[in-house]
Amino acid sequence: MDASLTLLVIVAVTVRAVLFRSSLADLVAERVEVVSPLTAWKRVVEGLALLDLGVSPYSGDVFHELADIITAVALYMAVKDYNKQVFRKQKYALEADRYPLDCLELIRSPKELHYIPLKVAMFYLLNPFTILSCVAKSTCGLNNSILALFILSTMKGNALLSAIFLSLATYQSIYPLTLCAPALLYLMQRQYIPVNFRRASFWWFFIQYSFMYLGSLLVIVCLSFFLLGSWDYLSSVYGFILSVPDLTPNIGLFWYFFAEMFEHFRLFFLCVFQINVFFYTIPLSIKLKEHPVFLIFMQLAIISIFKSYPTVGDIALYMAFLPVWSHLHRFLRNVFLVSCVLLACSALFPVLWHLWIYAGSANSNFYYAITLLFNVAQILLVSDYFYAFLRREHHITYGLYLKKKDGSEATLILK
């Protein structure tokens, strides 16, 4: 481990330890932005007590610090491996004169690539959202660590470990199922298997990975059955996620809408809301089939925005990838406005909650309005990065300064 990463880990653990010992820990543990019915540590302890297993082995704060460190180190190693591949591809393309001469300024330098893994680890460990989740003992940190290990395994080209960690992530929550597509695309890319439905090699690898993924998931589900002695947990976990019976306010889009919903419309709109997470997978996979790592970033962002019980810890995971796309900043259009909105919303969440719940001078409309604005800002941020990524790829292929047939400057319009 690099000395800079070691220092970063020490600082992150120290910050968490200090905050955990302060009075802030009890306050944050009750915040609806930080914990949800699925990630609240209180519910974990209550569940273990109901099983009559005594004191939880994870009742201390060390376990959550460890989860954050595992996530940061896994992301650091994954991005480091990815940057090596980016540099190698750039080198081959430059030697083959595949880039237009006027777009050489878009090529990423080795110095720029060298510091990105450390920035990714810093963006995750020192992100206030991550720190708050850790101090609140949210189990979101465990989910993030499994997803980070899945990403690392995929970057290393290990199909078996990738499938196992993805099955673990799916076991915790259904939504990581959408990450199958980028994992398959990346692993095929690593093994030089063309994404072509007519090729037998494509279908053979698809069947292999699906068998490893579904087999691992089946083993985990069966182990849960042998531990509990019934299948009741399937409806209690996955049914809970999909049917959204607990309408406790959070930073998601579901709770207010379904609190006001007529019961006979509920099933229809549940399907409409839930399909958002899965709907974008196929078109994005087609558009980004040559860029599966960016597709992973997009899918993580979509999951954190449209899942039924999101927390700020989910947002911290995909935001950790922003330094990887630092070369897109020149093409971003709304990053300053979106950043200001996200900061303002983060500050207003506790204010409007206090006015609604304690002061009684506001109502749920105020809190949901800021929630909507927060999610719209996230959507604008992700779509802005998507636009910038596609525009850079276009310039890399056709040149930075486009000309019309008459020699005048052309305007690029992406549709």
Side-chain angles (χ1 to χ4, degrees):
M1 190 185 296
D2 294 345
S4 52
L5 181 59
T6 305
L7 179 62
L8 176 62
V9 167
I10 293 172
V11 171
V13 171
T14 304
V15 170
R16 284 159 171 75
V18 170
L19 290 176
F20 189 82
R21 305 299 178 191
S22 69
S23 58
L24 183 66
D26 293 331
L27 175 64
V28 172
E30 302 296 330
R31 295 302 312 169
V32 294
E33 301 88 3
V34 182
V35 297
S36 73
L38 290 172
T39 61
W41 188 246
K42 267 185 181 178
R43 302 211 176 193
V44 177
V45 176
E46 289 171 1
L48 290 170
L50 289 173
L51 288 172
D52 198 24
L53 294 178
V55 179
S56 169
Y58 302 113
S59 59
D61 60 318
V62 177
F63 183 80
H64 298 277
E65 290 172 3
L66 182 60
D68 282 349
I69 292 169
I70 289 172
T71 306
V73 173
L75 292 177
Y76 175 89
M77 295 172 66
V79 172
K80 196 171 185 178
D81 194 72
Y82 170 67
N83 283 345
K84 288 178 182 177
Q85 296 181 44
V86 169
F87 180 73
R88 196 180 303 120
K89 286 182 180 179
Q90 283 187 170
K91 183 180 178 182
Y92 292 154
L94 285 169
E95 291 174 352
D97 292 328
R98 294 178 183 173
Y99 293 136
L101 294 176
D102 62 347
C103 76
L104 294 181
E105 60 186 273
L106 299 179
I107 304 302
R108 310 181 72 180
S109 65
K111 185 178 179 181
E112 175 191 353
L113 293 172
H114 176 74
Y115 290 105
I116 287 176
L118 183 63
K119 291 178 182 178
V120 168
M122 186 181 300
F123 261 58
Y124 185 78
L125 284 177
L126 300 184
N127 190 326
F129 290 164
T130 314
I131 295 172
L132 289 174
S133 295
C134 176
V135 173
K137 296 183 182 180
S138 171
T139 57
C140 182
L142 306 179
N143 304 344
N144 288 349
S145 63
I146 291 175
L147 286 172
L149 290 170
F150 153 72
I151 294 169
L152 175 60
S153 304
T154 306
M155 295 296 113
K156 293 291 184 182
N158 192 320
L160 177 60
L161 282 179
S162 172
I164 290 173
F165 283 119
L166 183 58
S167 66
L168 282 170
T170 310
Y171 172 74
Q172 291 178 317
S173 172
I174 299 172
Y175 303 116
L177 172 66
T178 60
L179 295 171
C180 268
L184 275 168
L185 291 171
Y186 186 86
L187 291 169
M188 286 181 180
Q189 213 175 69
R190 287 273 300 214
Q191 299 185 25
Y192 304 101
I193 299 173
V195 183
N196 189 336
F197 294 147
R198 298 179 180 179
R199 299 291 291 270
S201 56
F202 169 83
W203 289 109
W204 176 240
F205 186 82
F206 175 81
I207 292 170
Q208 281 183 312
Y209 190 82
S210 300
F211 178 78
M212 289 185 288
Y213 169 66
L214 294 174
S216 302
L217 187 59
L218 181 63
V219 169
I220 299 168
V221 169
C222 289
L223 285 174
S224 297
F225 169 74
F226 291 129
L227 177 65
L228 299 174
S230 72
W231 297 104
D232 293 342
Y233 73 93
L234 290 176
S235 58
S236 298
V237 177
Y238 307 119
F240 186 89
I241 294 171
L242 293 175
S243 62
V244 199
D246 191 327
L247 298 178
T248 303
N250 53 56
I251 60 170
L253 300 170
F254 283 72
W255 66 272
Y256 182 85
F257 193 86
F258 287 97
E260 304 293 332
M261 173 69 60
F262 288 112
E263 192 61 32
H264 54 280
F265 291 127
R266 181 180 174 85
L267 179 60
F268 172 75
F269 281 100
L270 267 177
C271 296
V272 171
F273 271 61
Q274 294 287 7
I275 205 172
N276 268 294
V277 178
F278 306 97
F279 178 77
Y280 305 104
T281 304
I282 293 176
L284 284 175
S285 299
I286 294 171
K287 187 66 178 178
L288 299 171
K289 66 178 182 179
E290 302 295 331
H291 310 283
V293 178
F294 189 77
L295 179 58
I296 290 175
F297 164 73
M298 292 291 296
Q299 287 299 132
L300 288 174
I302 289 170
I303 290 171
S304 68
I305 295 169
F306 293 110
K307 68 189 297 187
S308 51
Y309 294 103
T311 64
V312 291
D314 301 305
I315 299 168
L317 182 61
Y318 84 80
M319 282 191 171
F321 281 90
L322 294 184
V324 181
W325 321 117
S326 57
H327 58 291
L328 303 177
H329 284 173
R330 65 181 294 171
F331 301 118
L332 295 175
R333 300 166 297 177
N334 306 311
V335 65
F336 177 74
L337 174 63
V338 170
S339 301
C340 292
V341 172
L342 288 174
L343 289 172
C345 290
S346 300
L348 286 172
F349 273 130
V351 174
L352 292 178
W353 178 263
H354 179 82
L355 291 176
W356 173 26
I357 300 299
Y358 298 104
S361 56
N363 56 38
S364 59
N365 296 329
F366 288 75
Y367 191 80
Y368 190 63
I370 209 68
T371 300
L372 278 178
L373 185 59
F374 186 72
N375 283 286
V376 168
Q378 287 188 81
I379 293 169
L380 287 176
L381 177 70
V382 175
S383 59
D384 206 12
Y385 269 92
F386 186 50
Y387 163 82
F389 185 86
L390 294 180
R391 182 170 177 179
R392 180 181 179 274
E393 289 302 313
H394 188 277
H395 285 309
I396 286 287
T397 305
Y398 299 104
L400 186 58
Y401 304 102
L402 303 177
K403 300 289 183 182
K404 295 181 180 178
K405 292 182 180 179
D406 59 2
S408 60
E409 186 176 349
T411 303
L412 179 63
I413 300 175
L414 296 179
K415 295 184 179 179

